[in-house]
Amino acid sequence: MELLRKGKVKSVYLQDDASVIMEFRDDITAGNGQKHDVLRGKGKLLNSINEIFFKLLSSNEIPTHYLQKLSETSFQARKLDIIPLEVVVRNYTAGSFCRRYGVEEKKKIGPVVEFFLKDDLLSDPLICDDVIEALSIANADEISKMKNVALEVNKVLKDFLMDRSVILADFKIEIGRYGGKLMVGDEITPDTCRFWDENTMNSLDKDIYRNSNDKDPLEGYEEILRRISK
Ligand code: TMP
């Protein structure tokens, strides 16, 4: 099958005009690829977690690219025309938000929606609505719809996780066009979300890897899978 794109942790293969196969590899990266490791079993874990979140969105009538799991590490998805933005929703302060605005971590906010331009060479800069329109990345109607979709995804995920004693601090989604509709694409996993245990406020996501060299991130990922499998 034709390899369409080899990302930092996923490979995307063309299946036919309308569908792709996405494969989670065992790679983990942080700092725009500056830190990189291979964690055996990570691809399988992420594929299982991603499946649960995407099925949850579908069952809440949120259109997504997800079609079906194909193997332990891969799934079939609709081939979207991805809008090159990272759509971030924040319920608590963390990460780049604290660095950018000089605010303390773990304060409840929002929900706040932010857009970042998907461009590794530019380190994914924050981008505002007017610039998104000026650069013809998306029109005003699409920007408004993307915000609504992001907030709907937030509501569904936040409530589902809260029932499992997990705080959804923030997350990133990607959105694409498919047959005149907008759909949620890419992945929803502990690589793209911040999950905090409700009682300890400890991270159960990629921050374990970003912030430490001796903790095993997969222990957090396994805990997330265990809780969302209930
Ligand atoms: P940030 O605090 O680094 O801006 O990240 C906010 C959330 O979005 C966090 O859960 C990580 C996720 N994210 C990605 O998955 N990929 C990215 O390239 C960026 C910028 C954020």
Side-chain angles (χ1 to χ4, degrees), residues 12-131:
V12 184
Y13 299 88
L14 183 65
Q15 192 175 41
D16 54 49
D17 283 354
S19 59
V20 293
I21 293 173
M22 293 204 174
E23 167 145 58
F24 287 98
R25 304 192 313 271
D26 283 344
D27 300 87
I28 186 164
T29 70
N32 201 7
Q34 284 171 356
K35 189 173 176 186
H36 171 247
D37 284 280
V38 175
L39 304 176
R40 259 177 84 97
K42 174 176 180 272
K44 180 179 165 194
L45 253 178
L46 258 66
N47 197 35
S48 300
I49 294 170
N50 189 58
E51 179 188 18
I52 293 171
F53 285 136
F54 269 95
K55 286 186 171 168
L56 176 69
L57 297 188
S58 297
S59 68
N60 282 276
E61 269 118 54
I62 297 176
T64 83
H65 71 155
Y66 198 90
L67 291 171
Q68 59 174 333
K69 193 170 180 175
L70 287 182
S71 74
E72 278 194 338
T73 56
S74 70
F75 67 95
Q76 182 193 29
R78 295 182 179 92
K79 184 172 179 291
L80 306 189
D81 167 23
I82 283 283
I83 298 171
L85 295 171
E86 316 227 320
V87 186
V88 169
V89 181
R90 302 182 190 268
N91 298 303
Y92 283 81
T93 58
S96 77
F97 189 89
C98 296
R99 293 194 295 276
R100 199 164 34 255
Y101 300 114
V103 293
E104 248 182 273
E105 291 218 323
K106 303 202 169 169
K107 297 282 161 218
K108 205 167 185 196
I109 48 160
V112 169
V113 181
E114 290 178 323
F115 292 107
F116 295 85
L117 181 66
K118 223 174 117 64
D119 187 327
D120 283 346
L121 291 176
L122 299 175
S123 302
D124 299 340
L126 186 70
I127 188 167
C128 68
D129 297 16
D130 281 2
V131 179

Side-chain angles (χ1 to χ4, degrees), residues 64-228:
T64 83
H65 71 155
Y66 198 90
L67 291 171
Q68 59 174 333
K69 193 170 180 175
L70 287 182
S71 74
E72 278 194 338
T73 56
S74 70
F75 67 95
Q76 182 193 29
R78 295 182 179 92
K79 184 172 179 291
L80 306 189
D81 167 23
I82 283 283
I83 298 171
L85 295 171
E86 316 227 320
V87 186
V88 169
V89 181
R90 302 182 190 268
N91 298 303
Y92 283 81
T93 58
S96 77
F97 189 89
C98 296
R99 293 194 295 276
R100 199 164 34 255
Y101 300 114
V103 293
E104 248 182 273
E105 291 218 323
K106 303 202 169 169
K107 297 282 161 218
K108 205 167 185 196
I109 48 160
V112 169
V113 181
E114 290 178 323
F115 292 107
F116 295 85
L117 181 66
K118 223 174 117 64
D119 187 327
D120 283 346
L121 291 176
L122 299 175
S123 302
D124 299 340
L126 186 70
I127 188 167
C128 68
D129 297 16
D130 281 2
V131 179
I132 294 174
E133 271 194 81
L135 298 181
S136 303
I137 294 167
N139 62 35
D141 180 51
E142 288 176 323
I143 295 169
S144 157
K145 283 184 177 145
M146 283 192 284
K147 283 186 193 168
N148 288 336
V149 169
L151 290 171
E152 271 179 56
V153 170
N154 184 50
K155 178 147 189 24
V156 170
L157 294 182
K158 190 161 70 103
D159 291 351
F160 175 79
L161 287 161
M162 193 37 79
D163 288 344
R164 289 151 182 86
S165 300
V166 175
I167 291 173
L168 177 64
D170 63 29
F171 65 92
K172 182 262 312 189
I173 52 172
E174 293 181 24
I175 295 173
R177 307 177 181 101
Y178 185 90
K181 276 174 83 174
L182 291 184
M183 296 191 180
V184 180
D186 196 50
E187 66 177 285
I188 300 175
T189 67
D191 273 3
T192 61
C193 304
R194 285 192 171 95
F195 299 129
W196 298 338
D197 177 273
E198 186 194 17
N199 298 310
T200 64
M201 295 296 266
N202 288 339
S203 296
L204 300 168
D205 58 67
K206 199 164 85 171
D207 269 351
I208 304 171
Y209 178 73
R210 288 188 190 97
N211 301 334
S212 152
N213 288 322
D214 44 57
K215 287 194 193 135
D216 179 7
L218 294 196
E219 281 181 20
Y221 289 29
E222 273 157 11
E223 178 62 17
I224 283 293
L225 179 58
R226 198 180 61 75
R227 293 200 199 179
I228 68 175

